[in-house]
Amino acid sequence: MIPLNVNARAVTVEAAPDTPLLWVLREHLGLTGTKYGCGVAACGACTVHLDGEAVRACSVPVGEVAGRPVTTIEGLPGGAENPLVRAWVAVQTPQCGYCQTGQIMQAATLLARSPRPSREEILEHMQGNLCRCATYNQVVDAIQHAAREA
């Protein structure tokens, strides 16, 4: 049994310590907003926050996160009223939407550190998150929109 702190809620899961956090979130806890993309931490679809930092849940063993705060898209402060979520809708960022939860979680760590990032800062911070639909310009627009609205 592994004790976790997910979205400010204490839970215990029965999983091998080397099980990727992604699968514990999705299969054990039913938090399916975190997506499987590549399984090798290269695409960003599985981005969550661990200790307030963006990490790829597909490559983090659940045994390493015992007791540490994990935040998924479902636990993002404000839910649908979060400035990033509202900006994503306002700018009409997603096409297929598959990667967008990871994009939002990655962007949230940027805005937490830099409330008014430049376009260059956004591009640098978001470079590890891939989008098959190529909505990169909309992602930048949405982050800038959220920064203005926050």
Side-chain angles (χ1 to χ4, degrees):
M1 299 298 279
I2 300 173
L4 300 174
N5 177 352
V6 179
N7 297 333
R9 187 175 62 118
V11 295
T12 304
V13 296
E14 187 173 339
D18 62 346
T19 303
L21 176 60
L22 170 65
W23 298 118
V24 170
L25 294 171
R26 291 183 59 81
E27 303 297 326
H28 294 260
L29 302 177
L31 298 171
T32 57
T34 304
K35 305 298 185 197
Y36 173 81
C38 65
V40 294
C43 74
C46 67
T47 302
V48 298
H49 297 169
L50 176 60
D51 297 323
E53 293 297 321
V55 298
R56 306 304 195 241
C58 71
S59 65
V60 176
V62 70
E64 290 183 15
V65 303
R68 296 165 63 191
V70 174
T71 304
T72 68
I73 191 74
E74 292 92 347
L76 198 62
E81 294 303 312
N82 181 282
L84 277 167
V85 174
R86 286 195 340 256
W88 244 249
V89 172
V91 174
Q92 299 180 357
T93 303
Q95 286 183 27
C96 83
Y98 196 82
C99 71
Q100 298 303 310
T101 57
Q103 300 270 5
I104 290 170
M105 295 303 287
Q106 183 73 24
T109 60
L110 171 62
L111 293 181
R113 281 197 301 268
S114 179
R116 301 281 190 266
S118 68
R119 181 175 179 78
E120 292 74 27
E121 288 174 302
I122 294 169
L123 291 171
E124 181 178 329
H125 187 80
M126 299 301 293
Q127 71 182 0
N129 286 73
L130 304 179
C131 176
R132 292 185 65 182
C133 301
T135 64
Y136 300 112
N137 287 328
Q138 293 94 320
V139 167
V140 172
D141 292 346
I143 294 169
Q144 289 173 327
H145 185 282
R148 286 190 304 271
E149 298 296 316

